Amino acid sequence: MEDVNIKITDRDGVTHDIVAPTDMAMNLMEVVRSYELAPEGTIGVCGGMAMCASCQCYVLSDTELPEMGDDEEAMLSEAFDVKDNSRLGCQIQITPEMEGLEVELAPES
């Protein structure tokens, strides 16, 4: 079992140092929900299907992430507050390669 250290800045600007498990097939959105870093019902509204952008985040570190899929790209093209470093948390699997990942949650839209 290997856990990774991730920094998540919530929508209030507070940075949280999180230890996320790599052996539970979780994604970043699920980690945010499990640590209650966003109010219930404001993140992961679609259940992680890349259909709502409520889990949009800005990647602040140079951590190498998997390439963006078509569904994620399409959703971000319609979302609010999108930046060049925007990703959907539901599409970022927690793997050992995510060690040191730093993200900021996008504003609720």
Side-chain angles (χ1 to χ4, degrees):
M1 185 176 96
E2 190 177 343
D3 294 342
V4 292
N5 297 291
I6 299 174
K7 281 187 192 302
I8 301 172
T9 302
D10 65 25
R11 293 179 176 142
D12 295 323
V14 179
T15 300
H16 305 268
D17 290 313
I18 301 298
V19 176
T22 60
D23 62 343
M24 294 177 67
M26 292 178 83
N27 60 46
L28 185 60
M29 177 267 297
E30 292 166 331
V31 170
V32 170
R33 287 171 72 171
S34 67
Y35 277 94
E36 299 178 350
L37 302 182
E40 186 70 36
T42 65
I43 191 160
V45 175
C46 73
M49 305 300 290
M51 296 175 71
C52 73
S54 65
C55 64
Q56 180 189 175
C57 60
Y58 308 124
V59 178
L60 306 176
S61 58
D62 59 4
T63 308
E64 191 155 326
L65 298 176
E67 212 164 293
M68 200 180 298
D70 292 342
D71 291 345
E72 181 178 9
E73 218 168 299
M75 189 66 251
L76 285 172
S77 73
E78 299 172 15
F80 297 103
D81 303 306
V82 175
K83 298 181 181 180
D84 289 342
N85 60 342
S86 288
R87 291 296 300 261
L88 297 181
C90 68
Q91 300 300 299
I92 300 174
Q93 287 300 123
I94 302 300
T95 63
E97 292 76 29
M98 296 301 114
E99 175 65 39
L101 177 66
E102 293 184 38
V103 297
E104 176 185 352
L105 300 182
E108 187 181 349
S109 51

